Amino acid sequence: MFKVGIIGCGSIATHRHIPEYQQNKDAEIIAYCDVVKERSDELAAEFGGTSYSDYHELLQNPDVEVVSICTPNYLHAEMTIAALHAGKHVLCEKPMATSLEDADAMIKAAEENGRTLMIGHNQRINEAHQQAKKDIAAGKLGKLYSFKTTFGHPGPEGWSVDGPDSWFFDKKRAFIGAMGDLGVHKADLMRYILGTEFTEVGAMIETSAKKADVDDNAVLILKTADGIIGTLSASWAYNGQEDNSTIIYGEKGILKLNADDVYTYQFFGADGQIEREQLGEIQTNEEGGQKNSHTIDAFIKALTNDETPICDGHEGRASLNVIIKAIEAAQTKSITQI
């Protein structure tokens, strides 16, 4: 039974991390921490455990073996490194850091202390995405040509505990907007599903829907080492319905993933074959959309078996790098090497 501390008690903690730890028989949350201590106090009172307002004090608790970092982006590296040096295993929310230098320091801290670092790229774990990765590796689509992947919803003000005053809109705390909240998920997913690395990126990034100093709409053009080209869209301006879909085009057919409300996995073969399967559900911010992402299950399983987690620090860094290079591409109005 792993004893867990939650650092940051906002929406991602209360909707995802805490319920998923509670559903895992090998984990028990014993500590909560938030700078707004009323939040951690309420959770500790409701579920049991100790409440902290200073994460350093939580890390000094010898009973805490594992921590989830659920704080604004700019704090991810600082808190993760401190936790690793305190001998804790860490599950850190995405994006893992606000710079590659910080990401490297996080990876180094994990290695130096012999502790596990996992980044919360939960889209890898989705059943349809898992099946797609297996099928592509087995050659079901033949040679891959292109893809389009998108993640968009009306914006974090309807999700964040702070509403329109959310840190998501503040560049100092968030670093980037929709690309850091949503786009990095899709960059990570496509690297994972395709089983290859991106080598070039072009990008157009705008702040057009929100009163913010971070991006709320972004479209990336990506190319892999083996010539697959595709688009990645991230938006906080998909009003009316969330979209979290991926389509992959290949020599032998087309895969549509989470593009249908019922059939999350669809294959349309060049020979006329059609397959439609219900492979789990993807999480949404919409009413009733907080399904178990199984991120905590994957993390605890990795710890139990002493194995590399599905998205370790190196993988998280590679996906962050795509987004950072996209920002550079947008600023220079050029195709940037990754």
Side-chain angles (χ1 to χ4, degrees), residues 122-141:
N122 55 31
Q123 297 225 350
R124 293 182 174 219
I125 304 167
N126 175 264
E127 289 180 60
H129 296 160
Q130 285 279 317
Q131 188 62 48
K133 180 176 177 62
K134 292 175 186 174
D135 287 346
I136 287 170
K140 184 168 187 170
L141 267 67

Side-chain angles (χ1 to χ4, degrees), residues 3 12 38-39 64 72 78 90 150 163 243 255 268 270 290 323:
K3 307 295 185 182
I12 196 67
E38 291 82 1
R39 294 175 188 164
V64 173
E78 169 193 320
V90 176
T150 188
D243 189 355
L255 271 180
F268 299 89
Q290 298 304 323
I323 299 304

Side-chain angles (χ1 to χ4, degrees), residues 164-331:
D165 297 321
S166 173
W167 61 265
F168 279 99
F169 298 121
D170 178 11
K171 189 171 184 177
K172 290 181 180 179
R173 291 180 288 171
F175 164 55
I176 44 180
M179 281 207 302
D181 182 28
L182 309 176
V184 73
H185 262 315
K186 289 302 187 179
D188 184 76
L189 176 66
M190 297 316 298
R191 292 182 51 252
Y192 180 70
I193 286 183
L194 300 177
T196 187
E197 296 295 337
F198 293 116
T199 56
E200 297 177 72
V201 60
M204 290 188 178
I205 302 170
E206 291 291 333
T207 304
S208 53
K210 309 293 180 184
K211 292 180 179 179
D213 57 359
V214 292
D215 61 281
D216 56 27
N217 276 284
V219 177
L220 280 53
I221 300 173
L222 293 155
K223 182 178 179 179
T224 69
D226 40 359
I228 306 166
I229 56 174
T231 59
L232 184 161
S233 302
S235 177
W236 283 342
Y238 286 9
N239 300 312
Q241 187 179 34
E242 192 165 315
D243 189 355
N244 197 345
S245 61
T246 297
I247 304 176
I248 303 169
Y249 304 89
E251 174 188 11
K252 298 179 181 178
I254 299 170
L255 271 180
K256 293 188 176 183
L257 310 171
N258 293 294
D260 183 89
D261 289 341
V262 177
Y263 299 106
T264 56
Y265 177 100
Q266 299 180 89
F267 173 70
F268 299 89
D271 60 359
Q273 174 193 4
I274 298 177
E275 296 177 29
R276 290 187 172 96
E277 296 184 60
Q278 295 173 294
L279 295 179
E281 297 176 276
I282 201 160
Q283 301 73 41
T284 78
N285 294 342
E286 296 171 349
E287 187 73 25
Q290 298 304 323
K291 312 297 182 183
N292 191 327
S293 70
H294 298 290
T295 304
I296 300 305
D297 294 341
F299 182 45
I300 297 299
K301 178 176 176 288
L303 296 179
T304 301
N305 298 335
D306 193 23
E307 61 189 19
T308 301
I310 190 168
C311 187
D312 65 5
H314 294 284
E315 288 292 305
R317 181 197 189 278
S319 298
L320 174 64
N321 189 33
V322 174
I323 299 304
I324 286 177
K325 293 300 192 296
I327 296 171
E328 182 181 329
Q331 291 171 340

